[in-house]
């Protein structure tokens, strides 16, 4: 599942009970509200899925894991 949000995204891959949630925004992963909302919804859904045993949270890009919220 990939939820693309204006130059950024949140995507989930599942395999053998492991859900990997990846997020990205081109401004050093400074996350606007839409991406934060998508990330929260995805974490909540995976946390309540009985088939998910482990959640790995990963940022894409080559810089900062997460620069925090963006208040643009």
């Amino acid at each position: 599942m990939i939820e693309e949000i204006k130059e950024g995204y949140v995507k989930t891959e599942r395999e053998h009970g492991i859900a990997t949630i990846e997020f990205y925004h081109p401004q050093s992963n400074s996350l606007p509200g839409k991406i934060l909302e998508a990330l929260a919804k995805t974490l909540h859904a995976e946390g309540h899925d009985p088939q998910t045993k482990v959640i790995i949270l990963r940022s894409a890009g080559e810089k900062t894991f997460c620069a925090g919220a963006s208040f643009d």
Side-chain angles (χ1 to χ4, degrees), residues 6-60:
K6 193 178 176 182
E7 296 185 22
Y9 65 81
V10 174
K11 73 178 182 178
T12 306
E13 297 176 2
R14 288 179 212 82
E15 187 173 336
H16 306 292
I18 300 171
T20 301
I21 301 170
E22 180 179 280
F23 62 89
Y24 173 75
H25 191 268
Q27 294 179 326
S28 296
N29 285 324
S30 176
L31 305 179
K34 296 281 185 184
I35 291 182
L36 287 172
E37 182 180 353
L39 185 57
K41 285 181 179 180
T42 303
L43 282 166
H44 186 267
E46 289 300 328
H48 285 86
D49 186 331
Q51 295 183 1
T52 299
K53 305 300 180 204
V54 175
I55 297 173
I56 297 172
L57 185 59
R58 174 173 63 199
S59 68

